[in-house]
Amino acid sequence: MGGAHYVFILGTSNDDDGTLSAISLSRVDAAERQYRIDPQIIITATGGHGAHFNSAVWPHRHYVDQELIRRGIPTATVANDELLSSNTVEDALVIDRFCKRRSVASFGIATSAFHVRRCEMIFDCLCPDYAVTFHAGIDPAGTNRAKITHEVAAQKMLRQQGGVMLEGKLFAFRNLALALE
């Protein structure tokens, strides 16, 4: 495996007209910082539709791509049915499929600071064939306390399970330090 180096901006909310939330924009900022350091990276986003994050006309990743273009950052050419997801586990699965099709060996994930640890846990379990780096956006002032509480509870559940449960199968932690925190 080799290929291009991608940075994937994980999906989060936008409003009904496609306006990205402050959390979405902070994730775009994290990817943009990486692009300004290395303009050879290829940036794209995950995210489809879901009642809890995007009920707009287009998939969430479309609105992120439009923001990247507005900032003068080229985006990856992605098929309409690729990288559509509605949660972090689906993000890992669609990114895995995307990278396998393109022989990608390593990639970056741009997400929120409050979300990085759970991402590390999930990608450790579901994407064992890759070198993954994580790029944290700055959590916007007033980040919803419920989001942070959700992250803490989800991390605890992953640790109790010993990894990610998917369709009745355990995908265990490879990095045991993540399980022991």
Side-chain angles (χ1 to χ4, degrees):
M1 285 182 148
H5 186 74
Y6 286 83
V7 172
F8 297 93
I9 302 170
L10 298 190
T12 189
S13 57
N14 54 262
D15 65 19
D16 290 344
D17 71 359
T19 302
L20 296 174
S21 68
I23 291 173
S24 290
L25 292 172
S26 77
R27 293 177 181 190
V28 173
D29 292 343
E32 181 178 11
R33 282 192 299 277
Q34 296 310 303
Y35 176 77
R36 300 295 176 209
I37 292 167
D38 179 5
Q40 299 304 308
I41 66 170
I42 302 168
I43 299 176
T44 193
T46 64
H49 289 95
H52 65 286
F53 74 98
N54 177 26
S55 58
V57 174
W58 296 99
H60 174 76
R61 68 180 179 83
H62 167 80
Y63 300 112
V64 174
D65 283 350
Q66 294 305 305
E67 178 64 18
L68 290 166
I69 291 165
R70 188 187 69 71
R71 294 179 186 205
I73 300 169
T75 62
T77 302
V78 177
N80 287 338
D81 63 347
E82 286 187 299
L83 300 173
L84 300 178
S85 57
S86 62
N87 60 59
T88 310
V89 169
E90 288 180 8
D91 285 333
L93 296 172
V94 299
I95 288 170
D96 178 53
R97 276 194 301 273
F98 181 92
C99 289
K100 282 182 178 162
R101 287 183 190 141
R102 290 161 178 79
S103 299
V104 173
S106 65
F107 57 84
I109 296 294
T111 191
S112 306
F114 70 81
H115 190 233
V116 166
R117 177 58 73 208
R118 186 161 62 100
C119 288
E120 289 173 336
M121 297 167 85
I122 290 170
F123 280 82
D124 180 69
C125 296
L126 297 178
C127 294
D129 299 329
Y130 307 97
V132 184
T133 55
F134 295 88
H135 311 289
I138 297 168
D139 293 337
T143 297
N144 184 327
R145 190 89 183 120
K147 288 185 182 301
I148 295 168
T149 301
H150 168 76
E151 289 302 312
V152 170
Q155 290 171 36
K156 181 179 179 182
M157 183 185 70
L158 289 167
R159 286 188 189 96
Q160 288 172 342
Q161 295 171 168
V164 175
M165 288 294 293
L166 190 60
E167 298 176 358
K169 180 180 177 189
L170 176 65
F171 292 81
F173 289 112
R174 292 174 308 126
N175 179 352
L176 294 181
L178 291 170
L180 300 175
E181 291 181 355

